[in-house]
Amino acid sequence: MLWLYLHFPHLLLDHIRRSRENHGALVVVEGSGQKVIQACPEARAQGVQAGMRLKTAISLIPELGMVRADHQQEARILEDQARWLYRYAAHIVLVPPDGLLAEVGSLQRLYGGLSAVWQTVEQGLNERQLNAWVAVGHTPLAARLIARTGKGECTADKGHILRTLGQMSLLAAEFDDKTRIRLQRIGLNTFGEVLALPSNELARRLSPETLAHVQKIQGNRADPQTPWQPPHYFRQQADFVQEIEHSQGLLFPLQRILSELEEDLCWRQQDTDSLSLVLRHRHQEPTRLRIRTSGPEHRADAFLDLIRLRLEQHPLKAPVTSLVLLVKRFLGREAATGQDLLGETQDLNEAWQTLISRLQARLGENALRQLSPQADHRPERSWLASDVLARHKPWVQDHSRLPRRPLWLLKGPQALTETPPVWLSGPERISGGWWDGQRVHRDYYIAQLASGQLAWVFRDIGGGWFVHGWFG
């Protein structure tokens, strides 16, 4: 087997930076807040280094941004990267707090060689604005050790991999302090020198645990890896160094998150019609917004437009410290139809759903109504105003066989004081309603009144004339 390992030297730092529009100096400090453990390039350029006391760093950069290390947050971010890598490799292993392992030997034929796999991963890292040290190894532990030194190469040559391992110091090979001291006392300073010992001498000088460690690196002992399975939802979070006071400031991180949602939906070959947006505040309860679309959707720009409209209707009640976008509802994607010669989709239904979604976001979900046909011959009862449906099949009829109907139907028939002078069509008899006690028996005509208006009129069983609608 062949394994690829991704070591993220400053994953939390990258996560924070890619949600910021301005890339100012930023550091991650340990839990106590006394020492810098990660520094961005801008901070390093001004003299701030990992291991430096925070007070010293602030004296160098007074406007320095700071983020406190959070193990739970780092675990969540690592899982986000695993979900992305899962698109390219099925066997993914999480190695907290900063590593991902993927079996890639079986992918070489699919991608056309190891170099293609390597390039695919690097391209994904660049698109996600993440820094990672990548390495390939014939065992999981070998790939991990090489990646953590930053000396990984795109090669499946076992001999070359062993030579790279052999040049490692005992510390880089992750020998414990007691074992390192014992080995150094007999003149062994590199992992290669340890491997050169005869097997019986290796077993005598190393503890059973250390011997197992060496054998796992070599591949002489089984090292099973439990594959990680992605959750059945999409969740992304953006954390802010400085609180966001205006909703406009939320659009930049949302644009990045929604782009990743679009990629995830396209990979799943699914859509969604429901997004949950949670805005967290320092001293108040979170603001929870539910974004609904009128139909299945996957486009990031469509989601962003709806969220922008909702934020315009709901100003921030307090500054935002972080936001979470969650999608739990996924819908099967229908085959695309109506494409022109250039492959451009001309889906009027999609445009209609976009319009409905925007109106609902601006006016409210219950502000719109749609007309639906009802199985009743009586004109005033042949339609119904109902909630806008997300997905419905249009009512299809052969319009060439239907009688002409007015565009403007009155709420109720209005009596005519004179008989229409010009008749254009009719009669059309409508008789029904006996089942609910409101029976009608009418002969309808299209007629022109003396005023010149084109009307839909009828004569009832009593002989009276009424107008029921107007033609445009």
Side-chain angles (χ1 to χ4, degrees), residues 128-185:
R128 296 175 69 80
Q129 301 176 7
L130 295 173
N131 295 288
W133 298 345
V134 187
V136 173
H138 59 287
T139 67
L141 198 48
R144 177 176 179 269
L145 293 177
I146 296 174
R148 291 180 67 84
T149 64
K151 298 180 179 179
E153 297 181 45
C154 180
T155 177
D157 185 346
K158 184 175 181 180
H160 183 85
I161 294 172
L162 288 174
R163 285 191 295 272
T164 303
L165 290 167
Q167 296 170 3
M168 287 184 184
S169 66
L170 299 181
L171 180 62
E174 298 186 349
F175 286 101
D176 59 77
D177 294 341
K178 184 178 179 180
T179 302
R180 286 205 312 272
I181 294 173
R182 183 186 304 139
L183 293 173
Q184 288 170 348
R185 283 176 178 174

Side-chain angles (χ1 to χ4, degrees), residues 21 34 66 73 83 106 139 148 159 167 177 195 205 209 245 260 316 326 360 416 444 448 450 462:
E21 288 189 84
Q34 300 299 317
M66 292 165 286
Q73 184 182 19
R83 185 176 61 247
S106 59
T139 67
R148 291 180 67 84
Q167 296 170 3
D177 294 341
L195 293 180
R205 292 186 177 276
E209 295 79 13
E245 298 183 356
E260 295 186 11
L316 299 181
L326 180 65
Q360 287 178 327
L416 280 175
Y444 278 86
Q448 187 174 18

Side-chain angles (χ1 to χ4, degrees), residues 1 3 137-146 158-159 161-163 165-166 173 175 191-200 202-203 206 210-223:
M1 300 181 75
W3 297 87
H138 59 287
T139 67
L141 198 48
R144 177 176 179 269
L145 293 177
I146 296 174
K158 184 175 181 180
I161 294 172
L162 288 174
R163 285 191 295 272
L165 290 167
F175 286 101
F191 184 62
E193 293 171 346
V194 174
L195 293 180
L197 289 175
S199 56
N200 58 344
L202 196 64
L206 301 179
T210 307
L211 179 61
H213 176 72
V214 172
Q215 291 175 337
K216 288 180 180 179
I217 296 174
Q218 293 176 301
N220 297 331
R221 177 174 292 210
D223 188 13

Side-chain angles (χ1 to χ4, degrees), residues 50 77 103 116 159 175 200 269 302 312 359 367 418 441:
I77 299 171
E103 193 282 312
F175 286 101
N200 58 344
Q269 287 296 298
E312 290 176 357
L359 289 173
E418 58 181 6
H441 190 85

